[in-house]
Amino acid sequence: MGPFPHPARARWRSDRGARLLAQLLRAWLIWCLASAAMAASADELPAPARPQLAHITESAGGLTLEQVRQLPEDHWLPLPSPDGALGFVRQTHWFRADFEPVNTAGDFRLEIGYPFLDHVELSVRLGDDGAWKTFRMGDQLPFRARPYQHQHFVVPLRIEAGQSVRVFARVSTSSSMQLPLRLWQADAQRLANLEEMLFQGAYFGIVLGLLVYNLMLFFATGEKSFLAYVAWVASISLTMLTLKGLSFQYLWPDFPALNDRSLSALVGLSLASALDFHLRFLLAGGGHRRLATILRLVVLASLAMVVIGFLIPYFIAIQILLALIGVGATTALVLTGLRIREGFRPAIILGIAWMALHASALALILQRYGVMAQSFWIVNAPQVGSAIEMILASVALGIRVRDERRMRVRAQAHALEVQARAREQLEQQVQERTRDLAESNQRLATLSERDWLTGSYNRRYFDAAFSRAVETAREKGEWLSVAFIDADHFKRINDTLGHAAGDACLKSLARLLESHLLHSDDIAARFGGEEFCVLLPGASKDEALQFAERIRLAAESMRVAVDGRSISMTVSIGLSSRRPRDQECARAMLAAADSAVYDAKANGRNQVVWQDVAARSTDQLLADTAVTRSGAFS
């Protein structure tokens, strides 16, 4: 399946998902109304009694209940909070609680509203002369070992009118040390528990609706961000189920070891899936590599904690996870802020959702450390915050996918428009490109005909041009002149001043020759080394001699500046002129001009020498030129 399937099929799947979500929302509304009705009924029942707590830290040798009872009053430290929250401490603690005498006899429930205590020995005495009853509980024992089947630790009591209740509790745990004791009337506790279950039903109803709806959207669109969202919602809902003690009650009641370590693993999984979703949501097109790398490292570390959480004590695992949450949440918020500044609108909604969850999580952490008192909203803050975040994140994800779809549709429409214009202009573009290609080929041909150093024509081009000029002169009976120009003492310039100076002299000489050409069909070419050749179609002997003399005088007065130095140079020029009859005669002209150059050098350089082709045979000219080139002239 592609990222965007057939529109009709995607619309049908989306509508079906919307109908299912509507049904789930209606069911959730019924739950909310029932919860409100139960809350109204609960107002008619008495609130639970909360004792004033005091505590001591157990010494290394341990204490018995009898020893604790005999301790003087000044050994006990009062707790300002009725929740008995001490934070993460390793020592075993004894708590003492005294409840006021009840006014009406009946069934009561003594509840510890915190399901993560490892070992609890709860000793209860009714009245001043009653017998002590001890109840052993904790999440290290199977769930069925509890005296009352409840997600919290609950002890059923029958209390007569006027009886007081004294409680001693010996508590040891690897989680946060706290003892939120409440004494409920049985009916009020059942109603409060029902109200709590209705709240949990509402929350997990929202979660189920979001899971199904976004899973349907994933199947409809193929957008992987929806699948990442589903994984995140599933993991965080399992975490909330464990935080409320419901997973131990309903999922693994006979596996206390699994329950003891499952919370840290689920927190790590929730953090990893949340950050993975944020990465996919915010950086679908890439960018912000450093922040993305930090988040990916936190994701990997969180996934590692899923396994490590089962191997190390809970209090160590939770400290590591809190650090990872701090780094991951801060980085995600910074990344969200940057995307908002870049104009990515869905990031605004996601940022609000992210802050809602972490504000609620911070409230719970502060309560665990004893900074904030326990209340209904504090205890359920993570669920409220996560529900807000999941709903807003789902809305933001829908907006992002909708915007991307609109951009894709606009891009497709634009592509079709461009394609239509391209078809209309195809012939014109082909013609233009053909012309451009011809011009490019012409430029390449020109470059292949030029000398790489001086920019003058090269030997290959000169040979072809000379052959054409010979044919033209033969057909029209016109004159054709050839001049060889050789730089005097060029080897000395190279040896004393360097090759860079020699190259500069050659370039200057090439420019000088180009500037003195008489007609458009005159050609100056570098023949090899420091030697140039000029082809003068239609020029007689006298015209060629005048041209050569101008070149000689110009070269003599020329100064070449190299590295702050001024270099002077002269040239020797050999000329030959004739009305050519055939190509053999042309070869003789070249040989005569070449021989004349060496005559000029032999006669003292810086001069022009003309040589008649008819005065000597072609073979003799070629032989003399070869002998001269092997001499010491340079």
Side-chain angles (χ1 to χ4, degrees), residues 15-328:
D15 292 344
R16 187 173 64 175
R19 289 194 298 271
L20 180 58
L21 179 62
Q23 293 174 1
L24 290 170
L25 289 176
R26 282 195 294 269
W28 172 71
L29 181 60
I30 294 173
W31 277 103
C32 291
L33 292 174
S35 177
M38 296 302 296
S41 300
D43 291 339
E44 302 174 0
L45 296 173
R50 300 185 180 187
Q52 181 65 41
L53 289 173
H55 76 100
I56 61 171
T57 303
E58 187 177 79
S59 59
L63 294 171
T64 64
L65 175 62
E66 187 63 28
Q67 290 173 331
V68 170
R69 289 174 53 202
Q70 300 301 322
L71 288 174
E73 185 64 27
D74 58 1
H75 277 59
W76 292 94
L77 300 175
L79 284 167
S81 169
D83 305 326
L86 298 174
F88 287 89
V89 294
R90 297 297 308 280
Q91 300 90 346
T92 299
H93 280 69
W94 281 89
F95 293 87
R96 186 188 68 185
D98 290 303
F99 292 90
E100 296 293 331
V102 299
N103 296 324
T104 306
D107 292 327
F108 288 81
R109 302 287 185 266
L110 184 63
E111 178 185 9
I112 303 174
Y114 181 61
F116 295 104
L117 299 175
D118 293 348
H119 299 281
V120 179
E121 291 184 9
L122 198 64
S123 299
V124 182
R125 187 186 68 181
L126 303 179
D128 295 334
D129 55 355
W132 288 94
K133 293 182 179 180
T134 300
F135 304 88
R136 290 177 174 82
M137 299 172 290
D139 65 2
Q140 296 292 314
L141 299 175
F143 191 83
R144 64 176 180 274
R146 300 184 180 187
Y148 189 83
Q149 302 298 292
H150 193 275
Q151 68 266 28
H152 296 158
F153 303 112
V154 177
V155 173
L157 299 173
R158 176 68 185 182
I159 305 177
E160 301 299 329
Q163 278 188 329
S164 62
V165 180
R166 167 161 279 204
V167 177
F168 286 99
R170 183 178 183 271
V171 181
S172 62
T173 185
S174 59
S175 64
S176 172
M177 178 68 71
Q178 53 184 299
L179 195 75
L181 270 176
R182 305 288 184 271
L183 184 62
W184 295 83
Q185 284 189 2
D187 292 339
Q189 194 269 342
R190 280 194 296 270
L191 191 59
N193 187 61
L194 181 58
E195 183 181 358
E196 173 70 15
M197 289 299 101
L198 285 171
F199 176 83
Q200 299 304 323
Y203 172 77
F204 288 106
I206 293 174
V207 170
L208 180 60
L210 291 171
L211 277 172
V212 174
Y213 179 63
N214 284 275
L215 195 59
M216 294 295 295
L217 288 177
F218 166 70
F219 288 125
T221 64
E223 171 63 43
K224 292 183 179 179
S225 294
F226 286 115
L227 192 60
Y229 176 86
V230 168
W232 168 45
V233 172
S235 61
I236 202 169
S237 61
L238 279 175
T239 303
M240 295 303 167
L241 200 67
T242 303
L243 275 173
K244 304 306 293 185
L246 297 173
S247 59
F248 191 31
Q249 183 176 3
Y250 296 109
L251 299 182
W252 45 75
D254 296 325
F255 299 96
L258 173 62
N259 183 68
D260 183 52
R261 303 299 175 89
S262 61
L263 182 59
S264 58
L266 288 172
V267 171
L269 186 61
S270 298
L271 179 60
S273 58
L275 295 181
D276 178 66
F277 168 74
H278 279 69
L279 275 170
R280 292 178 183 274
F281 184 93
L282 295 171
L283 298 179
H288 299 286
R289 293 184 178 180
R290 292 185 179 179
L291 293 177
T293 300
I294 294 174
L295 288 179
R296 290 189 180 97
L297 290 176
V298 175
V299 169
L300 292 176
S302 302
L303 291 175
M305 288 303 299
V306 175
V307 178
I308 297 173
F310 287 97
L311 305 177
I312 62 177
Y314 172 81
F315 78 94
I316 297 178
I318 202 66
Q319 302 290 339
I320 298 174
L321 286 169
L322 287 175
L324 291 175
I325 290 173
V327 174

Side-chain angles (χ1 to χ4, degrees), residues 357-434:
L357 175 64
H358 286 85
S360 62
L362 178 62
L364 182 65
I365 292 171
L366 293 176
Q367 189 274 326
R368 291 288 191 262
Y369 278 95
V371 178
M372 299 180 67
Q374 190 183 72
S375 67
F376 176 84
W377 292 110
I378 293 296
V379 171
N380 294 296
Q383 288 175 287
V384 174
S386 63
I388 293 173
E389 184 190 28
M390 288 185 288
I391 293 172
L392 291 179
S394 180
V395 172
L397 183 56
I399 292 174
R400 197 206 77 180
V401 173
R402 182 201 64 188
D403 290 347
E404 288 181 351
R405 187 182 294 273
R406 288 178 177 176
M407 290 176 61
R408 184 179 290 265
V409 171
R410 285 197 295 267
Q412 290 174 348
H414 179 69
L416 291 175
E417 183 181 352
V418 170
Q419 186 178 7
R421 289 200 303 267
R423 283 197 301 267
E424 295 173 359
Q425 300 172 358
L426 181 60
E427 183 176 355
Q428 179 182 355
Q429 290 177 352
V430 169
Q431 293 174 353
E432 291 176 355
R433 291 179 181 178
T434 302

